[in-house]
Amino acid sequence: MNKRAFLGLAIGTAGLWAVPVRAQAKFPDRPIRLVVPFAPGGDGDIMGRLWAKYAATALGGNIVVENKAGAGGAIGAGEVARARADGYTLLLGTTTTQIINPAASPNPPYDALKDFALVGMVSINPTCIIVNPGVPANSLKELVSLVKANPGKYAYGSAGPGTITNLTGELFKLQGGGLEMQHVPYKGGGPAMQDLVAGHIPVITPILSSAVLAQHRSGRARILGVNSDSRLKAAPDIPTSIEAGVPDMRVQVFNAVFAPAGTPRDVVQALRDATLKVRSDPGFLQDLEKAGAEQFTQKGEEQGEENFLTEEVARWTQVIKATGFKTQ
C-alpha cells in the first residue's frame, strides 16, 4: 500500500471511530420540573398537578411540581422563559400569565408569544357572574338594570387586583353599558365566595369550579351567567352571559403547558404527544369534571391551539385598552 492510499484509509476509519458508542438518551432521562406560578390550591395548581400526574405515566418519567407564586404569575413565568431550553423546565401557563400580564403591565418581564413554545392545552374554565340570593335579580339582564338604576350602590368582588377575575368584572361593567360598580379585591376566590354567601358583597366574578357550582346548587349563591361560548356540560341549566343579554361577555381561562422558546422540536413533540394522551385518558377527564373544568375544544390540533392563543392576545389587548386595566 502506498503512502497516499494509507493516509486516505486512516482518515476514513478515523471518521468511523469518531461515532459515539452510546446513542442519545431517550427523553426524559431525569425528572421534569413543572413550574406552577401560583400558590398551592388554586385552579392553576390543581390543573398543573393533574397534568403532571397523567403526563408522567404517558412519558414514563417523573414530573415534579414547583409552586413559584408572585406578581400575578409573572415571577414563575419569567423564570421558565429564562430557563435552559431542554424540556426539563416547563410552565403551567394561564390566561393571566400568557395574556393579561404581558398586555397590562407597563414593563412585562417576558414576551408571551416569543419566549415560550406551546406544548399543549390542559383545560379551560370560564369565569361566571354570581350573586348573593338577596340581590333582587334573577337574570343577568335584571342585574344590569338594577345596577344602572342604582349607580355606585352595588360592588363586585374578585380574587385580587390584576387577576382574570378582576378583569372579568371590568369587562362586565363595559359590556353592560358602562356600569358603575366598585371593585372589592380579595386575597383569593375562596374569601370572596365566603363574603358573598355571608352577604357582605353582592356580586363576585370567580373562575367557575366545582366549589362554585356547589354553592349555586345549594342555594347559598346564584350564578346568573357563565362567561363562555356555550353552556357547560356540568351545568347545562345555567345560561351563558351572552345568551343572558351581555354581548361578547367571554372570559375563557385556559391552563396550558409551555416550554422555553428554542426547546428542540423532538422534545416539544414528545411532551405534546404525552399531553394528547393525557387529554384522552378517561381518568383525567373524570378528574377534570370533578374540578369543574372543561376539555379544550379545538380538537387537539397544534395550529388550532396556537391560533386560539393569538386571537385571545388580540382580543384581551383591546379589552385592556378599553377598560384602562392595569396589573400591579
Side-chain angles (χ1 to χ4, degrees):
M1 180 182 294
N2 62 37
K3 185 175 181 180
R4 180 174 296 177
F6 175 78
L7 286 174
L9 178 62
I11 292 170
T13 54
L16 293 175
W17 295 335
V19 175
V21 175
R22 191 180 73 169
Q24 186 177 358
K26 179 181 179 294
F27 176 85
D29 64 355
R30 62 181 188 274
I32 294 170
R33 183 171 69 115
L34 176 68
V35 175
V36 173
F38 304 103
D43 172 68
D45 182 57
I46 292 170
M47 291 301 109
R49 291 179 188 276
L50 273 181
W51 178 85
K53 171 186 171 182
Y54 287 93
T57 300
L59 286 165
N62 185 27
I63 302 176
V64 179
V65 176
E66 183 178 339
N67 295 90
K68 283 271 185 177
I75 291 175
E79 180 177 314
V80 175
R82 297 185 296 272
R84 185 175 179 180
D86 57 7
Y88 288 95
T89 301
L90 306 175
L91 173 71
L92 191 283
T94 69
T95 304
T96 296
T97 61
Q98 307 308 113
I99 296 178
I100 308 304
N101 286 345
S105 172
N107 296 297
Y110 52 84
D111 186 311
L113 294 178
K114 294 180 179 179
D115 291 344
F116 298 96
L118 174 65
V119 169
M121 291 287 175
V122 175
S123 64
I124 194 161
N125 293 60
T127 59
C128 62
I129 299 169
I130 184 167
V131 299
N132 177 274
V135 174
N138 292 308
S139 70
L140 210 52
K141 266 188 178 180
E142 289 182 5
L143 179 62
V144 169
S145 297
L146 184 67
V147 174
K148 283 184 175 178
N150 299 274
K153 179 180 177 181
Y154 291 91
Y156 80 89
S158 80
T163 63
I164 189 65
T165 57
N166 179 189
L167 186 52
T168 298
E170 295 305 303
L171 181 61
F172 175 59
K173 287 162 59 177
L174 177 69
Q175 297 301 117
L179 303 177
E180 291 185 33
M181 299 180 76
Q182 181 184 353
H183 172 224
V184 179
Y186 286 84
K187 293 182 178 179
M193 179 60 78
Q194 290 172 7
D195 263 14
L196 180 86
V197 171
H200 300 313
I201 187 85
V203 183
I204 63 172
T205 52
I207 295 173
L208 197 104
S209 66
S210 55
V212 172
L213 283 172
Q215 295 288 5
H216 170 79
R217 287 169 178 153
S218 72
R220 290 189 291 267
R222 186 165 60 244
I223 299 174
L224 299 183
V226 175
N227 302 321
S228 60
D229 291 309
S230 57
R231 296 193 182 198
L232 297 179
K233 293 177 182 176
D237 55 312
I238 304 174
T240 68
S241 296
I242 297 171
E243 285 180 295
V246 182
D248 203 27
M249 191 63 208
R250 290 183 297 111
V251 187
Q252 300 178 104
V253 183
F254 67 79
N255 293 284
V257 176
F258 295 85
T263 299
R265 184 64 193 171
D266 60 334
V267 171
V268 173
Q269 190 61 50
L271 290 165
R272 178 166 183 79
D273 289 344
T275 301
L276 292 175
K277 286 183 181 178
V278 168
R279 287 179 6 195
S280 63
D281 188 303
F284 173 76
L285 296 176
Q286 288 178 4
D287 287 342
L288 207 62
E289 187 172 344
K290 287 177 185 176
E294 293 276 297
Q295 190 177 14
F296 189 73
T297 57
Q298 289 289 101
K299 301 181 181 179
E301 296 178 2
E302 183 178 4
Q303 191 60 45
E305 293 182 10
E306 290 178 347
N307 288 342
F308 169 79
L309 288 178
T310 302
E311 289 167 5
E312 284 289 277
V313 168
R315 188 172 80 89
W316 281 113
T317 298
Q318 291 180 346
V319 172
I320 286 165
K321 287 180 179 178
T323 59
F325 185 83
K326 298 289 183 184
T327 58
Q328 286 187 308

